[in-house]
Amino acid sequence: MSTWLYPGSFDPVTMGHMDIIARASRLCDRLLVAVLKNDAKKGTFSVEERLDFLRRSTGRWPNVEVFAFSGLTVELLRQTQADAVLRGLRNVNDFVFEQQVAMVNRGLDPQAETLLMMSSPTVSHISSSMVLSVGLHGGSLSGLVPDAVLEDISRKLSHPMG
Ligand code: ADP
């Protein structure tokens, strides 16, 4: 039985994340999606909002679980007994970063394996930060974030104080 751990900020979830989640959930038995809490980086959406958006977007896949975690990814790997950390790759910039993170994790725990999954070409331009800048300026987020949470994300970004 294979368990993969997909950690990230998910601030907010995008169609890029959904592409990885949909494809990975077909390849492993259990996919654990972890919203990593970062005290140094407050984020635009609260951790509770990010979890809610992810859960509403992934509810159709029974083998996908969504939760929050604060701490080291290797610690979460150990606690969940997942087989590997999964990360998405859009381009060479992602690769350079992910290679460093994978090596650091391997240094902290020699057993830590990292799997990198190439994004589908239709979503390789999408990032949470791009969604934020489009949404904050009132642009349509259709096709950039899951339909199930499109309205809530758009509303919050167009009324950031509300
Ligand atoms: P982090 O702050 O940890 O990079 P993100 O929420 O930005 O968190 O990303 C989580 C993971 O999803 C990372 O592995 C990132 O490369 C991947 N990812 C983000 N957007 C896309 C996309 N459009 N296609 C494929 N993978 C993506």
Side-chain angles (χ1 to χ4, degrees), residues 61-155:
W61 297 301
N63 64 337
V64 175
E65 295 162 43
V66 177
F67 57 91
F69 182 76
S70 86
L72 290 173
T73 305
V74 288
E75 178 58 24
L76 184 57
L77 253 187
R78 201 185 55 74
Q79 281 184 20
T80 56
Q81 298 188 315
D83 301 291
V85 175
L86 173 69
R87 297 280 292 175
L89 273 193
R90 287 161 286 196
N91 49 45
V92 291
N93 298 327
D94 276 354
F95 177 78
V96 170
F97 178 70
E98 296 300 341
Q99 187 186 30
Q100 290 171 341
V101 176
M103 291 306 112
V104 168
N105 286 340
R106 182 67 74 89
L108 292 168
D109 178 354
Q111 308 288 323
E113 293 289 355
T114 300
L115 302 176
L116 299 177
M117 181 180 262
M118 293 297 303
S119 64
S120 297
T122 46
V123 297
S124 63
H125 58 293
I126 302 176
S127 62
S128 294
S129 55
M130 213 256 304
V131 163
L132 294 178
S133 45
V134 172
L136 286 167
H137 292 96
S140 168
L141 296 180
S142 176
L144 300 178
V145 301
D147 284 343
V149 293
L150 172 66
E151 210 177 298
D152 282 359
I153 293 177
S154 306
R155 189 176 337 103

Side-chain angles (χ1 to χ4, degrees), residues 14-24 117-120 123:
T14 69
M15 290 308 284
H17 299 128
M18 293 301 290
D19 168 55
I20 299 291
I21 293 171
R23 289 162 55 216
M117 181 180 262
M118 293 297 303
S119 64
S120 297
V123 297

Side-chain angles (χ1 to χ4, degrees), residues 19-35:
D19 168 55
I20 299 291
I21 293 171
R23 289 162 55 216
S25 69
R26 290 196 289 269
L27 294 171
C28 62
D29 296 303
R30 269 176 92 208
L31 182 64
L32 310 179
V33 179
V35 175

Side-chain angles (χ1 to χ4, degrees), residues 49-69:
E49 286 172 315
R50 294 182 220 175
L51 290 171
D52 175 53
F53 295 154
L54 272 166
R55 289 195 176 119
R56 282 157 57 195
S57 308
T58 60
R60 78 195 97 136
W61 297 301
N63 64 337
V64 175
E65 295 162 43
V66 177
F67 57 91
F69 182 76

